[in-house]
Short mmCIF file of all heavy atoms in Angstrom, two decimals:
data_model
loop_
_atom_site.label_atom_id
_atom_site.label_comp_id
_atom_site.label_asym_id
_atom_site.label_seq_id
_atom_site.Cartn_x
_atom_site.Cartn_y
_atom_site.Cartn_z
N PHE D 284 -104.94 58.21 -4.95
CA PHE D 284 -103.85 57.52 -5.64
C PHE D 284 -102.91 57.05 -4.58
O PHE D 284 -102.10 57.83 -3.96
CB PHE D 284 -103.13 58.57 -6.62
CG PHE D 284 -101.88 58.15 -7.25
CD1 PHE D 284 -101.66 56.93 -7.80
CD2 PHE D 284 -100.85 59.07 -7.18
CE1 PHE D 284 -100.47 56.57 -8.26
CE2 PHE D 284 -99.58 58.70 -7.76
CZ PHE D 284 -99.40 57.49 -8.27
N PHE D 286 -99.72 54.74 -3.77
CA PHE D 286 -98.55 54.11 -4.48
C PHE D 286 -97.47 53.79 -3.62
O PHE D 286 -97.07 54.58 -2.68
CB PHE D 286 -98.22 54.94 -5.70
CG PHE D 286 -97.63 56.31 -5.34
CD1 PHE D 286 -96.38 56.64 -5.84
CD2 PHE D 286 -98.30 57.28 -4.61
CE1 PHE D 286 -95.75 57.95 -5.62
CE2 PHE D 286 -97.72 58.51 -4.32
CZ PHE D 286 -96.49 58.84 -4.81
N HIS D 288 -93.35 52.24 -2.80
CA HIS D 288 -91.95 52.42 -3.30
C HIS D 288 -91.13 51.33 -2.50
O HIS D 288 -91.33 51.12 -1.35
CB HIS D 288 -91.46 53.73 -2.95
CG HIS D 288 -92.14 54.81 -3.65
ND1 HIS D 288 -91.69 55.40 -4.90
CD2 HIS D 288 -93.35 55.42 -3.48
CE1 HIS D 288 -92.55 56.20 -5.29
NE2 HIS D 288 -93.51 56.30 -4.49
N PHE D 292 -84.38 57.17 -0.44
CA PHE D 292 -83.04 57.46 -0.93
C PHE D 292 -82.61 56.53 -2.09
O PHE D 292 -81.48 56.00 -2.16
CB PHE D 292 -82.01 57.36 0.11
CG PHE D 292 -82.38 58.30 1.35
CD1 PHE D 292 -82.85 57.71 2.49
CD2 PHE D 292 -82.20 59.61 1.31
CE1 PHE D 292 -83.26 58.59 3.61
CE2 PHE D 292 -82.43 60.51 2.35
CZ PHE D 292 -83.01 59.91 3.52
N THR D 293 -83.56 56.22 -2.96
CA THR D 293 -83.32 55.39 -4.14
C THR D 293 -83.72 56.28 -5.40
O THR D 293 -84.62 57.03 -5.34
CB THR D 293 -84.01 54.03 -4.16
OG1 THR D 293 -85.40 54.32 -3.90
CG2 THR D 293 -83.51 53.17 -3.14
N PRO D 294 -82.96 56.08 -6.47
CA PRO D 294 -83.14 57.09 -7.60
C PRO D 294 -84.51 57.06 -8.28
O PRO D 294 -85.10 58.14 -8.56
CB PRO D 294 -81.97 56.69 -8.59
CG PRO D 294 -81.60 55.26 -8.20
CD PRO D 294 -81.89 55.18 -6.74
N VAL D 295 -85.01 55.83 -8.69
CA VAL D 295 -86.25 55.87 -9.33
C VAL D 295 -87.39 56.38 -8.47
O VAL D 295 -88.22 57.23 -8.90
CB VAL D 295 -86.63 54.37 -9.79
CG1 VAL D 295 -87.98 54.33 -10.49
CG2 VAL D 295 -85.58 53.83 -10.77
N CYS D 296 -87.37 55.98 -7.22
CA CYS D 296 -88.46 56.46 -6.23
C CYS D 296 -88.32 57.94 -6.10
O CYS D 296 -89.35 58.60 -5.99
CB CYS D 296 -88.15 55.82 -4.95
SG CYS D 296 -88.27 53.99 -4.83
N THR D 297 -87.19 58.45 -6.12
CA THR D 297 -87.03 59.95 -5.93
C THR D 297 -87.68 60.73 -7.10
O THR D 297 -88.39 61.66 -6.89
CB THR D 297 -85.53 60.35 -5.82
OG1 THR D 297 -84.96 59.59 -4.68
CG2 THR D 297 -85.33 61.75 -5.69
N THR D 298 -87.50 60.15 -8.30
CA THR D 298 -88.16 60.82 -9.42
C THR D 298 -89.68 60.68 -9.35
O THR D 298 -90.37 61.61 -9.76
CB THR D 298 -87.60 60.27 -10.74
OG1 THR D 298 -87.96 58.90 -10.87
CG2 THR D 298 -86.13 60.53 -10.91
N GLU D 299 -90.15 59.53 -8.97
CA GLU D 299 -91.63 59.25 -8.85
C GLU D 299 -92.27 60.19 -7.82
O GLU D 299 -93.38 60.72 -8.02
CB GLU D 299 -91.93 57.83 -8.51
CG GLU D 299 -91.55 56.90 -9.69
CD GLU D 299 -92.09 55.52 -9.42
OE1 GLU D 299 -92.02 55.01 -8.28
OE2 GLU D 299 -92.59 54.89 -10.37
N MET D 300 -91.60 60.34 -6.66
CA MET D 300 -92.15 61.23 -5.58
C MET D 300 -92.20 62.67 -6.09
O MET D 300 -93.11 63.33 -5.87
CB MET D 300 -91.22 61.11 -4.31
CG MET D 300 -91.49 59.91 -3.57
SD MET D 300 -93.09 59.92 -2.77
CE MET D 300 -93.08 58.34 -2.01
N GLY D 301 -91.06 62.99 -6.79
CA GLY D 301 -91.11 64.37 -7.31
C GLY D 301 -92.10 64.63 -8.31
O GLY D 301 -92.80 65.71 -8.33
N ARG D 302 -92.35 63.69 -9.26
CA ARG D 302 -93.35 63.84 -10.26
C ARG D 302 -94.77 63.91 -9.72
O ARG D 302 -95.57 64.70 -10.15
CB ARG D 302 -93.26 62.60 -11.24
CG ARG D 302 -94.17 62.68 -12.42
CD ARG D 302 -93.60 63.58 -13.50
NE ARG D 302 -94.56 63.57 -14.66
CZ ARG D 302 -95.20 64.64 -15.05
NH1 ARG D 302 -94.94 65.78 -14.53
NH2 ARG D 302 -95.95 64.59 -16.23
N THR D 303 -95.05 63.14 -8.66
CA THR D 303 -96.35 63.22 -8.03
C THR D 303 -96.54 64.59 -7.41
O THR D 303 -97.66 65.13 -7.52
CB THR D 303 -96.48 62.08 -6.96
OG1 THR D 303 -96.21 60.81 -7.63
CG2 THR D 303 -97.80 62.05 -6.26
N SER D 304 -95.51 65.08 -6.76
CA SER D 304 -95.57 66.39 -6.15
C SER D 304 -95.83 67.41 -7.20
O SER D 304 -96.72 68.34 -7.11
CB SER D 304 -94.39 66.58 -5.34
OG SER D 304 -94.36 67.94 -4.85
N GLN D 305 -95.08 67.34 -8.35
CA GLN D 305 -95.23 68.25 -9.47
C GLN D 305 -96.64 68.34 -9.98
O GLN D 305 -97.06 69.32 -10.56
CB GLN D 305 -94.23 67.99 -10.52
CG GLN D 305 -92.80 68.32 -10.23
CD GLN D 305 -91.79 67.62 -11.11
OE1 GLN D 305 -92.23 66.90 -12.08
NE2 GLN D 305 -90.55 67.72 -10.80
N LEU D 306 -97.32 67.15 -9.96
CA LEU D 306 -98.72 67.04 -10.46
C LEU D 306 -99.77 67.37 -9.43
O LEU D 306 -100.98 67.08 -9.66
CB LEU D 306 -98.86 65.58 -11.03
CG LEU D 306 -98.12 65.27 -12.28
CD1 LEU D 306 -98.20 63.74 -12.57
CD2 LEU D 306 -98.68 65.98 -13.45
N SER D 307 -99.40 67.96 -8.42
CA SER D 307 -100.42 68.14 -7.25
C SER D 307 -101.62 68.94 -7.74
O SER D 307 -102.77 68.58 -7.33
CB SER D 307 -99.80 68.74 -6.04
OG SER D 307 -99.16 69.95 -6.35
N ASP D 308 -101.42 69.94 -8.56
CA ASP D 308 -102.61 70.72 -9.12
C ASP D 308 -103.50 69.79 -9.97
O ASP D 308 -104.71 69.96 -9.91
CB ASP D 308 -102.11 71.89 -9.92
CG ASP D 308 -101.52 73.01 -9.12
OD1 ASP D 308 -101.52 72.93 -7.89
OD2 ASP D 308 -101.03 73.95 -9.77
N GLN D 309 -102.87 68.96 -10.72
CA GLN D 309 -103.64 68.06 -11.60
C GLN D 309 -104.47 67.07 -10.71
O GLN D 309 -105.60 66.77 -11.04
CB GLN D 309 -102.71 67.22 -12.48
CG GLN D 309 -101.91 68.08 -13.45
CD GLN D 309 -102.79 68.52 -14.60
OE1 GLN D 309 -103.65 67.82 -15.04
NE2 GLN D 309 -102.58 69.78 -15.09
N PHE D 310 -103.83 66.55 -9.71
CA PHE D 310 -104.59 65.63 -8.81
C PHE D 310 -105.73 66.37 -8.11
O PHE D 310 -106.90 65.93 -8.03
CB PHE D 310 -103.63 64.95 -7.75
CG PHE D 310 -102.75 63.92 -8.33
CD1 PHE D 310 -101.34 64.05 -8.36
CD2 PHE D 310 -103.31 62.75 -8.86
CE1 PHE D 310 -100.57 63.02 -8.86
CE2 PHE D 310 -102.49 61.79 -9.41
CZ PHE D 310 -101.13 61.87 -9.38
N PRO D 317 -103.07 62.12 -3.42
CA PRO D 317 -102.00 61.17 -3.47
C PRO D 317 -101.57 60.70 -2.03
O PRO D 317 -101.52 61.60 -1.16
CB PRO D 317 -100.86 61.86 -4.21
CG PRO D 317 -101.37 63.18 -4.60
CD PRO D 317 -102.58 63.49 -3.79
N GLY D 319 -98.20 58.22 -0.58
CA GLY D 319 -97.15 57.22 -0.91
C GLY D 319 -96.88 56.30 0.19
O GLY D 319 -97.46 56.48 1.28
N HIS D 328 -88.21 59.16 5.94
CA HIS D 328 -89.00 59.74 4.93
C HIS D 328 -88.83 61.26 4.86
O HIS D 328 -88.66 61.90 3.77
CB HIS D 328 -90.49 59.57 5.15
CG HIS D 328 -91.01 58.12 4.90
ND1 HIS D 328 -90.22 57.14 4.42
CD2 HIS D 328 -92.24 57.64 5.11
CE1 HIS D 328 -90.91 56.00 4.24
NE2 HIS D 328 -92.18 56.26 4.69
N TRP D 331 -85.57 62.26 3.42
CA TRP D 331 -85.57 61.95 2.02
C TRP D 331 -86.36 63.02 1.22
O TRP D 331 -85.96 63.49 0.17
CB TRP D 331 -86.11 60.58 1.79
CG TRP D 331 -86.34 60.11 0.33
CD1 TRP D 331 -85.36 60.35 -0.70
CD2 TRP D 331 -87.31 59.36 -0.23
NE1 TRP D 331 -85.75 59.84 -1.82
CE2 TRP D 331 -86.94 59.18 -1.58
CE3 TRP D 331 -88.48 58.82 0.21
CZ2 TRP D 331 -87.80 58.47 -2.47
CZ3 TRP D 331 -89.31 58.12 -0.61
CH2 TRP D 331 -88.97 57.95 -1.97
N VAL D 332 -87.50 63.50 1.83
CA VAL D 332 -88.31 64.46 1.11
C VAL D 332 -87.52 65.76 0.87
O VAL D 332 -87.69 66.35 -0.18
CB VAL D 332 -89.61 64.76 1.96
CG1 VAL D 332 -90.34 66.00 1.45
CG2 VAL D 332 -90.60 63.58 1.81
N LEU D 333 -86.59 66.10 1.74
CA LEU D 333 -85.78 67.29 1.58
C LEU D 333 -85.00 67.11 0.23
O LEU D 333 -84.80 68.02 -0.55
CB LEU D 333 -84.81 67.47 2.71
CG LEU D 333 -85.41 67.72 4.10
CD1 LEU D 333 -84.37 67.92 5.18
CD2 LEU D 333 -86.37 69.06 3.98
N ASP D 334 -84.45 65.79 0.02
CA ASP D 334 -83.68 65.51 -1.16
C ASP D 334 -84.67 65.58 -2.40
O ASP D 334 -84.22 66.09 -3.52
CB ASP D 334 -83.16 64.13 -1.12
CG ASP D 334 -81.81 64.06 -0.47
OD1 ASP D 334 -81.31 65.11 -0.08
OD2 ASP D 334 -81.24 62.94 -0.37
N VAL D 335 -85.87 64.95 -2.30
CA VAL D 335 -86.81 64.97 -3.38
C VAL D 335 -87.09 66.48 -3.76
O VAL D 335 -87.04 66.83 -4.95
CB VAL D 335 -88.16 64.34 -2.96
CG1 VAL D 335 -89.17 64.51 -4.05
CG2 VAL D 335 -87.91 62.77 -2.63
N ASN D 336 -87.36 67.33 -2.85
CA ASN D 336 -87.64 68.66 -3.11
C ASN D 336 -86.48 69.33 -3.83
O ASN D 336 -86.65 70.13 -4.80
CB ASN D 336 -87.95 69.51 -1.85
CG ASN D 336 -89.33 69.04 -1.19
OD1 ASN D 336 -90.16 68.43 -1.91
ND2 ASN D 336 -89.58 69.39 0.02
N ASP D 337 -85.31 69.08 -3.26
CA ASP D 337 -84.16 69.70 -3.82
C ASP D 337 -83.80 69.26 -5.29
O ASP D 337 -83.49 70.05 -6.20
CB ASP D 337 -82.94 69.38 -2.90
CG ASP D 337 -81.79 70.24 -3.01
OD1 ASP D 337 -82.06 71.43 -3.43
OD2 ASP D 337 -80.66 69.86 -2.76
N THR D 338 -83.82 67.86 -5.49
CA THR D 338 -83.43 67.35 -6.76
C THR D 338 -84.52 67.45 -7.87
O THR D 338 -84.21 67.46 -9.03
CB THR D 338 -83.00 65.91 -6.69
OG1 THR D 338 -84.07 65.13 -6.19
CG2 THR D 338 -81.81 65.79 -5.66
N GLN D 339 -85.81 67.48 -7.34
CA GLN D 339 -86.93 67.44 -8.36
C GLN D 339 -87.65 68.83 -8.52
O GLN D 339 -88.61 68.83 -9.09
CB GLN D 339 -87.93 66.35 -8.01
CG GLN D 339 -87.32 65.00 -7.76
CD GLN D 339 -86.48 64.44 -8.92
OE1 GLN D 339 -87.02 64.33 -10.12
NE2 GLN D 339 -85.24 64.10 -8.73
N ASN D 340 -87.01 69.79 -7.81
CA ASN D 340 -87.56 71.11 -7.91
C ASN D 340 -89.08 71.24 -7.58
O ASN D 340 -89.87 71.70 -8.34
CB ASN D 340 -87.26 71.66 -9.34
CG ASN D 340 -87.46 73.14 -9.37
OD1 ASN D 340 -87.25 73.78 -8.41
ND2 ASN D 340 -87.74 73.73 -10.53
N THR D 341 -89.40 70.73 -6.36
CA THR D 341 -90.81 70.78 -5.93
C THR D 341 -90.86 70.92 -4.46
O THR D 341 -89.80 70.96 -3.77
CB THR D 341 -91.49 69.41 -6.43
OG1 THR D 341 -92.90 69.51 -6.28
CG2 THR D 341 -90.90 68.18 -5.64
N THR D 342 -92.14 71.03 -3.92
CA THR D 342 -92.31 71.03 -2.52
C THR D 342 -93.38 69.93 -2.27
O THR D 342 -94.54 70.20 -2.47
CB THR D 342 -92.82 72.41 -2.03
OG1 THR D 342 -91.87 73.40 -2.41
CG2 THR D 342 -93.01 72.47 -0.52
N LEU D 343 -92.93 68.78 -1.74
CA LEU D 343 -93.78 67.65 -1.56
C LEU D 343 -94.59 67.86 -0.29
O LEU D 343 -93.99 68.08 0.75
CB LEU D 343 -92.95 66.40 -1.56
CG LEU D 343 -93.60 65.02 -1.58
CD1 LEU D 343 -92.61 63.98 -2.04
CD2 LEU D 343 -94.29 64.65 -0.28
N THR D 344 -95.92 67.77 -0.45
CA THR D 344 -96.80 67.92 0.84
C THR D 344 -97.69 66.73 1.12
O THR D 344 -98.32 66.71 2.12
CB THR D 344 -97.68 69.19 0.62
OG1 THR D 344 -98.46 69.07 -0.55
CG2 THR D 344 -96.85 70.55 0.58
N PHE D 345 -97.78 65.84 0.16
CA PHE D 345 -98.74 64.74 0.41
C PHE D 345 -98.13 63.73 1.44
O PHE D 345 -96.87 63.70 1.59
CB PHE D 345 -99.08 64.01 -0.87
CG PHE D 345 -97.98 63.35 -1.72
CD1 PHE D 345 -97.48 62.14 -1.32
CD2 PHE D 345 -97.39 64.08 -2.71
CE1 PHE D 345 -96.41 61.54 -2.02
CE2 PHE D 345 -96.28 63.53 -3.43
CZ PHE D 345 -95.79 62.30 -3.03
N ILE D 347 -96.66 60.34 3.30
CA ILE D 347 -95.97 59.14 2.84
C ILE D 347 -96.08 58.17 4.11
O ILE D 347 -95.61 58.54 5.20
CB ILE D 347 -94.48 59.30 2.50
CG1 ILE D 347 -94.35 60.41 1.42
CG2 ILE D 347 -93.85 57.98 2.10
CD1 ILE D 347 -92.89 60.72 1.12
N ARG D 373 -93.56 48.36 -6.90
CA ARG D 373 -94.29 49.62 -7.23
C ARG D 373 -95.71 49.38 -7.52
O ARG D 373 -96.05 49.11 -8.70
CB ARG D 373 -93.59 50.37 -8.45
CG ARG D 373 -92.17 50.73 -8.14
CD ARG D 373 -91.50 51.47 -9.29
NE ARG D 373 -90.08 51.45 -9.13
CZ ARG D 373 -89.46 52.24 -8.22
NH1 ARG D 373 -90.09 53.12 -7.53
NH2 ARG D 373 -88.12 52.12 -8.09
N GLY D 395 -89.72 53.02 -13.52
CA GLY D 395 -90.62 54.06 -12.96
C GLY D 395 -91.93 54.04 -13.72
O GLY D 395 -92.00 53.84 -14.84
N ARG D 396 -93.01 54.52 -12.97
CA ARG D 396 -94.39 54.54 -13.54
C ARG D 396 -94.51 55.64 -14.48
O ARG D 396 -93.79 56.69 -14.43
CB ARG D 396 -95.37 54.60 -12.35
CG ARG D 396 -95.54 53.24 -11.71
CD ARG D 396 -96.07 53.32 -10.28
NE ARG D 396 -95.05 53.76 -9.35
CZ ARG D 396 -95.04 53.42 -8.04
NH1 ARG D 396 -96.07 52.74 -7.53
NH2 ARG D 396 -94.10 53.87 -7.25
N PHE D 398 -96.66 58.69 -15.19
CA PHE D 398 -97.68 59.55 -14.52
C PHE D 398 -98.67 60.13 -15.44
O PHE D 398 -99.81 60.39 -15.02
CB PHE D 398 -96.93 60.48 -13.60
CG PHE D 398 -96.46 59.77 -12.43
CD1 PHE D 398 -95.21 59.08 -12.48
CD2 PHE D 398 -97.10 59.78 -11.18
CE1 PHE D 398 -94.70 58.38 -11.43
CE2 PHE D 398 -96.60 59.08 -10.08
CZ PHE D 398 -95.43 58.42 -10.19
#
Side-chain angles (χ1 to χ4, degrees):
F284 165 49
F286 65 123
H288 296 264
F292 305 104
T293 51
V295 176
C296 300
T297 299
T298 61
E299 291 189 320
M300 283 293 180
R302 184 80 177 115
T303 303
S304 176
Q305 290 161 3
L306 288 169
S307 56
D308 288 353
Q309 297 285 323
F310 286 117
H328 286 355
W331 179 38
V332 165
L333 299 177
D334 272 359
V335 172
N336 289 345
D337 201 25
T338 62
Q339 308 304 305
N340 196 24
T341 191
T342 304
L343 190 158
T344 57
F345 61 83
I347 306 172
R373 300 184 194 282
R396 284 159 280 209
F398 285 77

